[in-house]
Amino acid sequence: MGPASALLRDVFGFDDFRPGQGEIVDAVTAGENVLAIMPTGGGKSLCFQLPALVRPGVTVVVSPLIALMRDQVRGLREAGVAAGALTSGNTPEETDAVFDALHDGSLKLLYLAPERLASGGTQRMLAQAGVSLIAVDEAHCVSQWGHDFRPDYLRIGELRRTLGVPLAAFTATADAETQGEIVTRLFDGAQPQTFLRGFDRPNLHLAFQPKDSPRKQILAFAAARKGQSGIVYCGTRAKTESIAQALREDGHAALSYHGGMEPDARRHVEERFATEDELIVVATVAFGMGVDKPDIRWVAHADLPKSIEAYYQEIGRAGRDGAPAETLTLFGPDDIRLRRSQIDEGNAPPERRAADHGRLNALLGLAEAFECRRKTLLRYFGEEHGGNCGACDLCDSPPDTFDGTEAVRKALSAALRTGESFGSGHLIDILIGNETDKVRQRGHESLPTFGVGKDLSRSQWQAVFRQIMGRDLMRPDPERHGALWMTEGARPILRGEESVTLRRDTIDRAKASRPVARTLVSEEDAPLLSALKAKRRALAEAQRVPAYVIFPDRTLIEIAERRPRNLDEMAGISGIGAKKLERYGSEFLSVVASEAEAMHPTRRKLAGKSSGALYDRLLAAQAKLARGAHGTDKPLSCSASQLAKIAELRPSDVDTLERLLGERRAERFGAAFLEVLQEG
């Protein structure tokens, strides 16, 4: 076992690297210049933290937000690593401690905000500190056309040249253009060793909904996930405050966050979100890039994001611990008009505006997709996904589609016959034959298209126009109050050379139901997981650190499912390194032991019978398959009464098991249960 593998186990508590991590760690450790593009939650931080422990001297980490730096420093110190940060949020004592550790050579990782690089004193201090590596987190901030551009990131290339040390740059999302900017500005145009890791986040459930009383939709989504940390992204500051208020009135702990707040107020929200298990933050995109909280269980968008990259980055803040997490994105025609006008009214050159429209089109294509959303999303990033993912709303319930060619041609014709001078509302009035004052004043009731769309309702026509804009067949003109004009892509449809398929919106206001949250563990393990979380919360509050610094959700889930009986077995749980085992192992073992003593009433009835031991073996077999054979499926379990019935009846074939368990459970557990039953 090499030094990196030993540190991976002893310090970070992992037996194996995640896919793609090992190669990056080897390259960074060897002193190569590296550019790594990895999905959020893919373990970027480990790829520079672990090499920092292997290499001599100190590693400087340039990171964009104070909250992110403080969280990572706390987590490293909990694992026994000498780490520090120099930020404007430091107390004088904290700053003195960092400088002392630098001077005596004990510090291994030093986190800096990019703004600190503007100081000549910082560069001199680093030149004397024995720096052996620079790591740049969120490297896309160097892109001048990106929405996260930070001017001081442009100083990092100069720092690399001054110190003469290798540089490793990390980001979760960077298209070819942004990659080029990173190479130019951080590596002086010399191509670093580049790693592009898969963009798939299989633990995220993806869902989109057309807007229909969006506040109610957000409240319904949050209500089904009560007690779970979440983020709601909004397009305006005012909306963050109104939705946060509505969530509080609905019984949630919720705070708003936006760029118009005072710095102290923003820091207060960041600190509460980091330390509280059940808080919802309703925010503009000002919140999130530096959020390192691994157990955010859901992200909802009350408004459409600005691009597919922004969408991917924002949903990526959920489920960074690898446990199941959910996403919901609401969208409507007003979102599309707003995003188009923001692009058209920007100061970017024409080619940049065209590229931005392309990124928005890709997101709209994802919103209006007919097949598995994960396939559509990954295809944009150049990846192919074998089959349907089974973890998106379209896999859960395939959409109802129809041949929309005629409807689209009617809509295009109505726009052309009115000089492409009106928005969708007026065009719909013409199509359904609604003789408004505006229609009469312009004589539009005499047009050939007046009333030709009576076969569709107003809401159906609104869905048609939304999909027309989503497919970039028509665009709103910002200089003419959003009047819709036809793009070149629409002409083949108008001429009858191409057809178009549309989705029927399946909104049913009368039957609207609150979505069911996906569970983190099986029914049998849920009480133990709750007890483990309570223990974690007590320890975190006593130490005044975020709960996930003790253990992330994923570690607690594994403890609940595997139920270790001693410290040796606890050491085999992912995320428990030597320091944390020493500090917390016995505390959490006592929780497992206490819960084990509380035997389920159904199992108690089998005490002393042969079926009792059989019940226990069936329960153990179920635990191994609770998330499927590969550990990535939705958690599934049989009830205690179902297991007891199997233990007593001892069925010998799959058909009987299916009658007792139902098709889904028999498919998941049938073969394993029959094997247990045959063993006696």
Side-chain angles (χ1 to χ4, degrees), residues 209 212 217 220 506-515:
Q209 286 179 11
D212 181 51
Q217 288 170 283
T506 54
I507 296 168
D508 186 341
R509 297 168 193 263
K511 295 181 182 177
S513 60
R514 293 191 165 186

Side-chain angles (χ1 to χ4, degrees), residues 228 518-535 537 553 556-563 591 595 598 600 619 622-623 626-627 635-638:
Q228 298 180 7
R518 294 197 299 169
T519 55
L520 297 178
V521 294
S522 69
E523 179 188 345
E524 294 287 344
D525 296 329
L528 176 53
L529 180 61
S530 294
L532 292 167
K533 283 189 169 186
K535 169 61 74 175
R537 189 181 304 117
D553 277 2
L556 297 190
I557 289 167
E558 194 173 333
I559 293 172
E561 291 177 341
R562 290 175 54 179
R563 298 173 184 252
V591 176
E595 203 275 340
H600 195 285
L619 190 63
Q622 175 184 263
R627 294 176 179 278
L636 187 65
S637 64
C638 306

Side-chain angles (χ1 to χ4, degrees), residues 83-113:
L86 291 176
T87 77
S88 58
N90 280 23
T91 64
E93 292 77 17
E94 287 173 331
T95 298
D96 288 345
V98 171
F99 280 120
D100 288 345
L102 269 177
H103 290 146
D104 66 26
S106 61
L107 196 71
K108 293 304 295 179
L109 287 113
L110 172 63
Y111 284 75
L112 291 176

Side-chain angles (χ1 to χ4, degrees), residues 285 356 651:
V285 292
D356 287 344

